[in-house]
Amino acid sequence: MANLKESELKELEIEERCLRLSNPHLLPDEDDVLYHFGLTKHSTDLPVVFGDVRFVCTGGSVGRLACVAQEIATSLGITDGSDRRNLCNSDRYCMYKVGPALCVNHGMGVPSLSIMLIEVIKLLHHARCKNVTFFRIGTSGGLGLEPGTVVVSNAAVNCELKPIHVQYVLGQRTERPATLDQKLVQELLEIGSTLPFPVATGATMCADDFYEGQGRLDGAFCEYSMEDKFKYIQTLFDAGVRNIEMESVCFASMMTRADVRGAIVCATIVNRFDGDQVAIDKATIKQFETRPMDLVIAYIKRHWKKPEVSAS
Amino acid sequence: MANLKESELKELEIEERCLRLSNPHLLPDEDDVLYHFGLTKHSTDLPVVFGDVRFVCTGGSVGRLACVAQEIATSLGITDGSDRRNLCNSDRYCMYKVGPALCVNHGMGVPSLSIMLIEVIKLLHHARCKNVTFFRIGTSGGLGLEPGTVVVSNAAVNCELKPIHVQYVLGQRTERPATLDQKLVQELLEIGSTLPFPVATGATMCADDFYEGQGRLDGAFCEYSMEDKFKYIQTLFDAGVRNIEMESVCFASMMTRADVRGAIVCATIVNRFDGDQVAIDKATIKQFETRPMDLVIAYIKRHWKKPEVSAS
């Protein structure tokens, strides 16, 4: 903290926000198994290893998250090789801790995301992290946008177009509000306006599958017509939806429950008004995929100062 | 076919069953992108590479499926190295084709499973495969069973205890019957009775998350009491549920829709009446995980004959 000005310290004080762990059953002295990471509270000194995490970057694929870790290391001048050390003792997820950033993949769909988020929230709580911001960096199908456009979600809605994550708890249907931090959305849009690719905002629809749930015509099963499809995606567009993916409502609802900031930043890799198949070449997809990452890294650079090593 | 007896040929004729692809929008001459495998119908000669697939083995983790591929190669005497060649040109899944078996992982949860199944069903259809049987080889939380017990599911039920997979199609709630082939269940139980570990049967409940959706007390959030939890899992037990995982209703419903046989064979790694955390050591988990695989491989060995190489 020695290098921060008084005004910055004041801002930090106001911001000082712990993750909210709302579970009376977790006892401070007992071990806690983070099963899908292959870590436990007592097997790793979590405050030492993870205590300075300020940003969590997540996304579906293992390869993309490895790439995010490497880009963060390059951008922040971190040369300790941490961007190549996978900290998971399990093959369910991969996890890199690069300076202030924890990079962890979430697989595809809400259930896979929910396991990762719950275990990361527990991990960061045990590590006594503060003022953490989460970013989901993903790909998505766009509505009325040029492929390659980055969408910063200003809302996350389910397949009934409601900003709600429906969960079954003890067999009972439970609704969780899925809200997103609008201040964070605005700041990302502001940064995005300075970058050399299109950045838009709009609502993001969370589907539970890639084919029928998103109105695609190219699955193994399809019981609706092309007209039905276009009518449907036009309804989504008219309601403000600009892209479709498979994690947003759960991500937003968990951010709300844990009382942390979180943003969803996805590249669109197809304009669903033009087709369903993702038929662009691999190099172009890769280029599109780096865009949300570039935006999030620009945010991190703005909000993090490399600690100066004190002369001893 | 030259090496089969007439009676065997007759049996094959009766059995001859193609996968049902119910999508009039997929045209025979057009290419088809299997996006999450990084394959397309025209980029790979699918009938040549995959045409003799008779068994699909799937499960959550990448590492486990690599292990399944290697075990199948060893058990069937396949020495061409195919058990070490990942055929996916994408890091979303891994895929091995070992003799008559396609081994592909599905990640965690229904959405991730559904993408894989749809793309595998399309792949096997394009490859003109016949008489295919699917196996989900997984881990699960057990109810009233000694950890390590293998459960062959005789039913798959959702969180409302209904044998239904609920899907949203064009924004409309749609119910898909989730049924399992009882003849296949019986045969697996019969084979299981000869193996050196406990094999049971019962209904399998499909949850959409690992923590609250399964009544665990050790998530980041928990709004119910220990008494509520035990009351809930007792209700499940009384309804015939013997294990809980996160994919079964979707697996069962897709088997029904594609008109193929499919079975769910999971090891239990915790008895939920005794606790929630998976606290057994890695070596024991690994040992438990191999059990469903051993049972499925015993089935495959019974139903497959290595083709004799004809002298030319």
Side-chain angles (χ1 to χ4, degrees):
Chain A
M1 296 272 175
N3 301 305
L4 294 179
K5 287 183 215 144
E6 205 175 325
S7 62
E8 289 172 323
L9 268 173
K10 195 142 194 167
E11 196 184 277
L12 266 185
E13 249 172 54
I14 296 165
E15 271 197 4
E16 205 83 338
R17 235 163 110 175
C18 299
L19 284 96
R20 186 166 55 202
L21 207 67
S22 313
N23 185 351
H25 303 289
L26 290 183
L27 303 176
D29 296 334
E30 275 186 17
D31 199 8
D32 185 25
V33 180
L34 307 170
Y35 176 61
H36 300 84
F37 297 154
L39 299 171
T40 86
K41 193 167 95 177
H42 289 168
S43 71
T44 304
D45 191 338
L46 300 179
V48 166
V49 180
F50 297 99
D52 62 342
V53 168
R54 289 277 307 275
F55 308 100
V56 176
C57 298
T58 184
S61 102
V62 167
R64 197 187 321 138
L65 265 290
C67 185
V68 169
Q70 287 162 30
E71 275 301 310
I72 290 176
T74 305
S75 300
L76 301 186
I78 293 166
T79 55
D80 58 3
S82 55
D83 55 320
R84 292 175 193 277
R85 273 196 299 277
N86 179 5
L87 300 177
C88 271
N89 293 311
S90 149
D91 67 349
R92 299 292 189 167
Y93 300 104
C94 69
M95 181 192 281
Y96 304 89
K97 156 78 175 67
V98 185
L102 187 70
C103 303
V104 48
N105 82 309
H106 60 58
M108 288 187 288
V110 160
S112 184
L113 172 86
S114 86
I115 295 173
M116 182 283 289
L117 280 183
I118 283 173
E119 296 188 10
V120 161
I121 290 167
K122 292 207 294 179
L123 183 151
L124 298 182
H125 174 86
H126 296 324
R128 298 194 282 276
C129 295
K130 283 172 184 164
N131 306 317
V132 180
T133 306
F134 283 65
F135 298 98
R136 168 166 140 65
I137 298 170
T139 53
S140 60
L143 292 179
L145 299 171
E146 190 65 29
T149 304
V150 172
V151 179
V152 180
S153 312
N154 61 19
V157 295
N158 64 16
C159 287
E160 294 179 319
L161 293 177
K162 293 178 184 161
I164 283 166
H165 174 217
V166 174
Q167 233 192 332
Y168 277 79
V169 180
L170 304 188
Q172 299 301 310
R173 191 179 186 281
T174 309
E175 297 193 350
R176 310 283 185 199
T179 50
L180 289 164
D181 187 315
Q182 297 302 317
K183 209 176 135 195
L184 183 56
V185 171
Q186 287 311 315
E187 187 173 352
L188 288 165
L189 289 174
E190 186 203 306
I191 296 171
S193 70
T194 67
L195 298 178
F197 48 78
V199 178
T201 188
T204 298
M205 192 184 88
C206 180
D208 278 334
D209 70 67
F210 189 76
Y211 293 96
E212 292 165 285
Q214 302 192 25
R216 279 191 159 84
L217 299 168
D218 62 338
F221 315 104
C222 187
E223 292 155 356
Y224 44 86
S225 69
M226 192 180 286
E227 290 68 38
D228 294 336
K229 170 208 150 166
F230 280 106
K231 206 175 137 191
Y232 175 62
I233 64 173
Q234 187 64 50
T235 308
L236 300 182
F237 184 86
D238 294 344
V241 174
R242 289 297 172 269
N243 65 340
I244 309 176
E245 38 79 284
M246 298 174 61
E247 292 86 9
S248 53
V249 284
C250 176
F251 180 89
S253 82
M254 287 227 184
M255 295 299 100
T256 310
R257 295 181 85 189
D259 194 27
V260 287
R261 278 180 299 265
I264 302 167
V265 185
C266 290
T268 61
I269 50 174
V270 60
N271 177 3
R272 294 292 313 290
F273 284 103
D274 294 336
D276 293 333
Q277 297 224 314
V278 183
I280 49 175
D281 61 282
K282 249 187 149 174
T284 309
I285 290 182
K286 213 173 161 61
Q287 194 205 328
F288 289 172
E289 280 182 357
T290 62
R291 292 177 174 180
M293 182 174 84
D294 290 347
L295 174 48
V296 166
I297 291 176
Y299 179 95
I300 292 175
K301 282 178 83 167
R302 186 192 261 202
H303 285 266
W304 185 74
K305 273 190 190 149
K306 197 172 183 177
E308 281 174 37
V309 181
S310 57
S312 60
Chain B
M1 294 273 177
N3 300 306
L4 294 179
K5 287 182 215 146
E6 204 176 326
S7 61
E8 289 173 324
L9 268 173
K10 195 143 195 167
E11 196 183 277
L12 267 185
E13 250 171 54
I14 296 165
E15 270 197 4
E16 206 82 339
R17 236 164 108 175
C18 299
L19 285 95
R20 187 166 54 202
L21 207 68
S22 313
N23 185 352
H25 304 289
L26 291 183
L27 302 176
D29 296 334
E30 276 185 17
D31 199 8
D32 185 24
V33 180
L34 306 170
Y35 176 62
H36 300 84
F37 297 154
L39 299 171
T40 87
K41 195 168 93 176
H42 289 167
S43 70
T44 305
D45 191 338
L46 301 178
V48 166
V49 180
F50 297 101
D52 63 341
V53 167
R54 289 276 309 274
F55 308 100
V56 176
C57 298
T58 186
S61 102
V62 168
R64 196 189 320 138
L65 264 289
C67 185
V68 169
Q70 287 162 29
E71 276 300 310
I72 289 177
T74 305
S75 300
L76 302 186
I78 292 165
T79 54
D80 59 3
S82 55
D83 56 321
R84 291 175 194 278
R85 272 196 301 277
N86 179 6
L87 300 178
C88 273
N89 292 311
S90 147
D91 67 348
R92 298 292 189 168
Y93 300 104
C94 69
M95 181 192 280
Y96 305 89
K97 156 78 176 63
V98 185
L102 187 70
C103 304
V104 48
N105 82 309
H106 59 58
M108 288 186 288
V110 161
S112 185
L113 172 85
S114 86
I115 295 173
M116 183 282 290
L117 280 182
I118 283 173
E119 296 188 8
V120 161
I121 289 167
K122 292 207 293 178
L123 184 151
L124 299 182
H125 174 84
H126 297 323
R128 299 194 281 275
C129 295
K130 284 172 183 163
N131 306 316
V132 179
T133 306
F134 282 65
F135 297 98
R136 170 168 138 66
I137 298 170
T139 52
S140 60
L143 292 179
L145 298 171
E146 191 65 30
T149 303
V150 172
V151 178
V152 180
S153 311
N154 62 18
V157 295
N158 64 16
C159 287
E160 292 179 320
L161 292 177
K162 292 177 185 163
I164 284 167
H165 174 218
V166 175
Q167 232 192 333
Y168 278 80
V169 180
L170 304 187
Q172 300 301 310
R173 191 180 186 279
T174 311
E175 298 193 350
R176 311 283 186 199
T179 51
L180 289 164
D181 186 315
Q182 296 302 317
K183 209 176 133 193
L184 184 55
V185 171
Q186 288 311 314
E187 187 173 352
L188 287 165
L189 290 173
E190 186 203 306
I191 296 171
S193 70
T194 67
L195 298 177
F197 48 78
V199 178
T201 187
T204 297
M205 192 185 87
C206 180
D208 279 333
D209 70 70
F210 190 76
Y211 292 95
E212 291 165 286
Q214 302 192 24
R216 279 192 159 85
L217 298 168
D218 62 339
F221 315 104
C222 189
E223 292 156 357
Y224 44 86
S225 70
M226 193 181 287
E227 290 68 37
D228 294 335
K229 170 207 150 164
F230 279 106
K231 205 174 138 192
Y232 175 63
I233 63 173
Q234 186 64 49
T235 308
L236 300 183
F237 185 86
D238 294 344
V241 174
R242 289 297 171 270
N243 64 341
I244 309 176
E245 38 78 285
M246 298 173 62
E247 292 86 10
S248 53
V249 284
C250 176
F251 180 89
S253 81
M254 287 226 184
M255 295 300 101
T256 309
R257 295 181 85 189
D259 194 28
V260 288
R261 278 179 298 266
I264 302 166
V265 185
C266 291
T268 60
I269 52 174
V270 60
N271 178 4
R272 294 291 312 290
F273 283 104
D274 294 335
D276 293 332
Q277 297 224 315
V278 183
I280 50 176
D281 61 283
K282 249 186 148 173
T284 309
I285 290 182
K286 212 173 161 60
Q287 194 205 327
F288 289 171
E289 279 183 356
T290 62
R291 293 178 174 179
M293 182 173 84
D294 291 346
L295 174 49
V296 167
I297 291 175
Y299 178 94
I300 291 175
K301 282 177 84 167
R302 186 192 263 202
H303 285 265
W304 185 74
K305 271 189 191 151
K306 197 172 183 177
E308 282 174 37
V309 180
S310 58
S312 59

